Amino acid sequence: MEIRKLTCIGCPMGCALSVTMEGKEVKSIEGYTCKRGKDYAAKEVTNPRRIVTSTVRISQGVLPVVSVKTKEDIPKEKILDCMHALDGIQVTAPVRIGDVIIDDIAGTGVALVATKNVEAS
Amino acid sequence: MKTYDIVIVGGGPAGLAAAVAAKEQGIDKILILERDAELGGILNQCIHNGFGLHTFQEELTGPEYAGRFIDQVKELGIPYLLHTMVLHIDHRKRVTYVNQQDGMCQIQAKSLILAMGCRERSRGALNIPGYRPAGIFSAGTAQRLVNMEGYLPGKKVVILGSGDIGLIMARRMTLEGAQVEAVAELMPYSGGLKRNIVQCLDDFQIPLLLSHTVVRIEGKERLRSVTLAQVGQDRKPIPGTERTYECDTLLLSVGLVPENELSRETGMKMNPVTAGPVVDEKLSTDIRGIFACGNVLHVHDLVDYVSEEAGAAGKNAAEYVKRDHDQPEEGKTAPYEFEQEPGESAPIEIVVRGGVRYTVPALIHARPPKEDVTIRFRVGNVYRNCYVAVYVDEERILRRKKQIMAPGEMETVVVKKELLTGQTQTVTVCIEEA
């Protein structure tokens, strides 16, 4: 039996979670105050994932960069791969919130989408 | 002079939500004044996710969250001016602004909503000794440079202050290829949200040095190094604990201060604890028809609460315009006191005790109020396994167990309207040990 202590990141409450593990199997989860927290704890000890947010260059826009995110969370260990994959990407204005920038970022099967409207200059 | 029903100073999350709420109450002559090139305020540079869980039940980035409200403002056809700086407001709700289009202009508002937000505490406010080389930025300035202007301000970074913006920037700079040496925090606890400590520091093995501060800054043209030292309980550096970090960049994330230069020009009553105006349950300042909401009132941790508060301010301003508005009295120079009808009893005072630093609102006028009163507050220290208690006069009406309370997180209690009667004199919010 191993007890793993986590801080929930599902919302700013930051609940203190306690997961009892037996090998790779989750035995019990305590300390959560919503379903999100319980799901997070189970996922964090078996398959930690993060949404990655960054920017890519945009040409002919009112700003030089447009903010982007992975449409869903990706495996935590893929964060830096994701950053390398979006390095050097350039899009052209206008860009709308939700526009797909890369279909499948760093082999995660998750799309990279714009999170800001940037008008053409 | 042009006249508007409601003029909103600031087009960030508070101003946008206030405008939408006022419009939904049937007020048409609204004007939002925004000094930046676009609506959305500081959310535009907060490209990280985690916004909107309460408001939209989904996790959005800052620009996406702002986008939802900007879309509403545009769909509702609410007028706004960009690149427009408000220079002066007075207690008669006259607003002086300047922009390239109109030059300097004066307009009259029936009601004014203050939504100017806050700004970062600067190096000057901290008295950090040492040279003044390039490479020292507030965390928010660095955030704007990286996320909106496409510049990385440095390669080797030390961050002073573990406020949320500092934590977010520790991760952001790391992802962009910079080396973040350490985050130093003067207090024995972090001022930032737990999730940010986990996601921004722990994920990248960035050390958080609690009870540490900057004691020396070296470098003439560009920053070369900073020296951190541990501090004792008196928050003074302990000799012999100094450690020097070579770096080219120091980010300061050392607190936010509501931006109330304009508010003060009206002579309105201010709260020295929040550095924002004193407001009642309607978010009305002590000048009739001037309301305040968002970070100009008190610094929030969650934008969702800003939107909620601003929505209430917008609704209340609309009601004021529809029902209570009287023409500004010419020649009246002193600010109005909080409205008190003849024969009406004095307002209910909200008293803070035992670790509660302040409440918003600070007083309640209507008895009973039209709606339950949401009281937001912050505590002055970290409290574990204690209770938030609310008393109406001597009677305890609420006692809620809290596993943890920290200065970085805003707390909320709701007082049912029927508990506040004509006889009520005070409502007390306090922390009680177990």
Side-chain angles (χ1 to χ4, degrees):
Chain A
M1 289 276 237
E2 184 204 354
I3 293 174
R4 287 198 51 192
K5 299 273 183 194
L6 302 171
T7 305
C8 184
I9 57 163
C11 83
M13 288 258 296
C15 289
L17 307 172
S18 168
V19 187
T20 309
M21 307 277 292
E22 205 171 272
K24 288 198 168 177
E25 201 186 331
V26 175
K27 282 289 171 195
S28 71
I29 303 172
E30 280 160 48
Y32 59 90
T33 48
C34 71
K35 189 173 173 295
R36 275 182 98 85
K38 193 179 177 185
D39 294 348
Y40 169 76
K43 216 166 158 183
E44 187 68 7
V45 292
T46 50
N47 178 22
R49 297 175 78 87
R50 300 284 184 267
I51 286 175
V52 175
T53 62
S54 189
T55 55
V56 298
R57 296 269 153 193
I58 184 166
S59 59
Q60 296 159 44
V62 291
L63 290 171
V65 291
V66 57
S67 57
V68 294
K69 69 173 182 184
T70 55
K71 195 153 192 269
E72 285 139 41
D73 48 17
I74 64 165
K76 189 176 150 187
E77 73 271 10
K78 289 273 192 179
I79 293 175
L80 287 180
D81 293 345
C82 174
M83 288 305 294
H84 288 301
L86 61 79
D87 192 19
I89 297 283
Q90 175 137 7
V91 295
T92 307
V95 165
R96 314 302 300 171
I97 291 173
D99 283 0
V100 175
I101 308 290
I102 300 173
D103 289 322
D104 172 5
I105 185 121
T108 56
V110 174
L112 187 77
V113 296
T115 58
K116 187 167 168 50
N117 297 329
V118 176
E119 308 300 336
S121 58
Chain B
M1 200 178 347
K2 271 196 192 167
T3 302
Y4 291 87
D5 286 340
I6 298 178
V7 171
I8 300 169
V9 185
L16 294 170
V20 168
K23 179 81 181 182
E24 282 170 349
Q25 295 297 308
I27 303 294
D28 287 323
K29 287 187 79 181
I30 302 174
L31 181 65
I32 304 171
L33 301 172
E34 167 57 44
R35 67 182 169 190
D36 208 342
E38 57 184 342
L39 294 173
I42 212 70
L43 286 172
N44 287 318
Q45 68 183 56
C46 300
I47 65 163
H48 53 282
N49 59 310
F51 301 90
L53 279 164
H54 294 252
T55 312
F56 301 111
Q57 284 77 50
E58 58 180 306
E59 206 169 322
L60 303 173
T61 64
E64 289 173 303
Y65 186 95
R68 300 271 173 112
F69 282 91
I70 294 169
D71 287 350
Q72 285 185 60
V73 162
K74 289 183 177 169
E75 275 161 28
L76 291 167
I78 300 171
Y80 58 89
L81 292 174
L82 301 175
H83 299 290
T84 300
M85 187 76 189
V86 174
L87 300 176
H88 181 66
I89 58 176
D90 70 18
H91 67 278
R92 282 176 286 190
K93 297 175 282 272
R94 282 192 304 219
V95 178
T96 310
Y97 68 78
V98 65
N99 64 26
Q100 284 199 336
Q101 213 80 44
D102 305 332
M104 195 146 103
C105 251
Q106 204 174 50
I107 55 175
Q108 176 71 56
K110 289 182 183 171
S111 174
L112 199 54
I113 299 178
L114 306 177
M116 293 89 82
C118 60
R119 61 168 174 252
E120 296 178 280
R121 192 167 283 138
S122 63
R123 178 184 175 184
L126 301 178
N127 291 325
I128 303 176
Y131 285 104
R132 295 167 166 269
I136 304 174
F137 303 88
S138 72
T141 301
Q143 190 179 42
R144 187 174 172 104
L145 288 171
V146 177
N147 294 344
M148 292 181 73
E149 299 182 17
Y151 296 107
L152 186 63
K155 293 279 172 61
K156 221 169 174 194
V157 186
V158 169
I159 299 176
L160 175 62
S162 61
D164 288 309
I165 312 166
L167 301 175
I168 293 287
M169 284 313 292
R171 173 176 63 187
R172 188 75 188 107
M173 299 286 282
T174 305
L175 289 178
E176 288 296 337
Q179 173 74 31
V180 179
E181 299 289 321
V183 175
E185 168 60 54
L186 180 70
M187 303 302 287
Y189 51 83
S190 168
L193 299 172
K194 276 276 182 343
R195 71 188 305 244
N196 287 335
I197 294 170
V198 173
Q199 274 202 330
C200 301
L201 300 187
D202 298 354
D203 273 9
F204 301 95
Q205 291 92 48
I206 298 167
L208 173 60
L209 306 174
L210 297 174
S211 299
H212 276 71
T213 193
V214 172
V215 293
R216 197 158 54 241
I217 289 173
E218 293 284 354
K220 278 198 171 164
E221 298 295 319
R222 177 79 194 195
L223 181 65
R224 275 207 329 263
S225 72
V226 302
T227 302
L228 303 180
Q230 203 180 329
V231 298
Q233 282 188 342
D234 58 358
R235 297 185 212 166
K236 298 259 163 63
I238 301 171
T241 62
E242 297 88 354
R243 189 178 154 195
T244 299
Y245 293 78
E246 276 182 32
C247 59
D248 57 25
T249 304
L250 173 65
L251 300 187
L252 303 175
S253 174
V254 289
L256 301 168
V257 185
E259 195 162 338
N260 275 300
E261 284 75 10
L262 289 173
S263 319
R264 284 192 201 98
E265 287 173 0
T266 65
M268 68 176 50
K269 194 173 173 192
M270 304 294 291
N271 180 337
V273 180
T274 57
V278 172
V279 294
D280 68 7
E281 81 280 9
K282 291 190 161 174
L283 301 162
S284 167
T285 68
D286 69 341
I287 300 178
R288 271 170 63 84
I290 304 187
F291 297 80
C293 55
N295 282 352
V296 81
L297 182 54
H298 58 138
V299 176
H300 294 60
D301 50 356
L302 280 191
V303 71
D304 302 73
Y305 297 149
V306 169
S307 303
E308 193 183 296
E309 186 178 272
K315 193 168 159 238
N316 294 335
E319 268 173 24
Y320 170 82
V321 168
K322 282 193 271 187
R323 278 199 222 121
D324 306 332
H325 171 64
D326 45 21
Q327 290 303 313
E329 291 170 51
E330 283 304 320
K332 193 152 183 176
T333 52
Y336 299 99
E337 282 301 301
F338 271 112
E339 183 180 9
Q340 201 170 321
E341 298 297 333
E344 194 188 56
S345 41
I348 300 168
E349 192 191 348
I350 302 182
V351 180
V352 297
R353 232 179 346 99
V356 177
R357 286 182 59 226
Y358 72 84
T359 63
V360 168
L363 66 167
I364 301 168
H365 269 105
R367 356 154 139 239
K370 275 192 206 138
E371 284 161 23
D372 295 345
V373 180
T374 300
I375 300 176
R376 302 187 202 282
F377 65 95
R378 280 186 193 256
V379 295
N381 211 329
V382 176
Y383 294 92
R384 285 173 205 281
N385 293 318
C386 54
Y387 296 86
V388 176
V390 179
Y391 292 80
V392 170
D393 291 325
E394 300 304 310
E395 190 194 348
R396 188 166 70 204
I397 56 143
L398 187 148
R399 190 169 195 247
R400 191 194 301 152
K401 174 126 200 223
K402 298 289 288 185
Q403 282 188 321
I404 187 158
M405 278 192 284
E409 302 196 16
M410 208 166 74
E411 303 285 342
T412 304
V413 290
V414 177
V415 178
K416 297 264 177 230
K417 58 185 174 187
E418 51 274 12
L419 292 171
L420 304 169
T421 67
Q423 277 70 50
T424 307
Q425 296 200 327
T426 60
V427 170
T428 305
V429 183
C430 58
I431 306 304
E432 293 177 347
E433 308 281 336

